[in-house]
Amino acid sequence: MKGLVIQNAAEVVTPTGREAKFGPAMNELNRIEHASIVVQDGIIQAVDTAERIAFRYDLSGYECIDAAGQSVIPGFVDAHTHFIFGGYRADEFMLRLKGSTYMEIMADGGGIGSTVRQTRQTTEEELYRSGKERLDAMLAFGVTTVEGKSGYGLDLEAEVKQLSVMQDLARNHPLELVSTFMGAHAVPPEYSDEEDRYIDFLLADVLPVIKEKGLAEFCDVFCEQGVFSLEQSRRLLSKARELGFGLKIHADEICSMGGAELAGELQAVSAEHLLHASDEGIRALAQNRVIATLLPNTAFCLNEPFAAARAMIDSGCAVALASDFNPGSCFSHSVPLILALACIKMKMTAEEALTAMTLNGAAALNRAGSVGSIEPGKQADLLLLKYPSYKFLIYHTGVNIVQKVIKKGRLLCTNH
Ligand code: NIG
Ligand code: FE
């Protein structure tokens, strides 16, 4: 085969560029009607009207996918998940339905601590098996690049176990995987009430090992009242930066405590959640070009107010949307739910939501140079939708309308 051609799409719709889109630029999509895409060796060669492509290329010998009546968009990038874990916490969800809060459950020994106990007891083989199953499920929703965090081990051995499983999956699974070390996800029982000593341990005995083994690109911390303070988060992330990790921070999820401001101060790549970010924090994100990764499925599952996406975009921030898929606060990787909540509840436009779920997600993973848009030179990560317009992503509310998923020019999944 000479290559692949996606022919006669009703439209190709994509943000453009090799970096995040900030503020009003999030609305700017490139839309070509009756379009074709030429791919060679997994890389996009040309995107143009079907007529011009037919004129420029001799397509005999190309594998051909007919996209008549279909909208083609970039593969989704889910830039925030915790998908490697043992066990489940369905009972906690039931408790929350009855009025218990996430932090109350955590303080009672449930929450992240419960998943840490279960993950420590789970074998690598089992973590690999369930992780693969979850990646397959994400792929069917059109996710072609995904981030995964550790943070359910909280000791050297179990953190390395989680990240090694991700490394094996990254090698064997067609979905592109980006790993984040999140040893500062909670305080483990061995260090209860000794957060500073636990941070010392991470700095001296864990971070350097993760670095040396090449097990993670990013470092993240749960900066939250009752978990890690601003100062502890600053200490960890500063060292992580010195070692060459990209920085992420779970900021202002449950309380407003200056996490967004800290992300600005450290010029983190992204700040996540931000349900309670202050106006000053939002300004700090915009000024320092920190991507605001918003996770509406978590706000929905916790029945908390949504992050102020409108104010953020109107203040010049780059917003990314992601799932936060995890066994506690959000056991959902549903992209249709993310998009519906973003547009209906957070007042984002459909165009902003598409940019947030593709190019800005890629930028939150330092991948905007290779994925996140449909342009010559980028990887051919493409979704063929069952309908002729990207508007159906929101309009067909909560429904997966992805029909075909193409990663690096390979057709990986067809939904019927
Ligand atoms: O992003 N907030 C911290 N971490 C996850 C929840 C993890 C869990 O509950 O297991 C989050 O919401
Ligand atoms: Fe999270």
Side-chain angles (χ1 to χ4, degrees), residues 179-196:
S179 293
T180 296
F181 169 66
M182 199 174 177
H185 195 193
V187 184
E190 299 80 14
Y191 287 86
S192 96
D193 293 326
E194 292 185 290
E195 294 83 7
D196 276 309

Side-chain angles (χ1 to χ4, degrees), residues 80-82 149 182 185 220 250 253 272-273 295 298 324-326 329:
H80 180 140
T81 83
H82 311 247
K149 301 176 196 292
M182 199 174 177
H185 195 193
D220 197 343
H250 278 59
E253 177 180 357
E272 336 274 308
H273 287 285
L295 313 162
T298 308
D324 196 24
F325 179 58
N326 74 74
S329 63

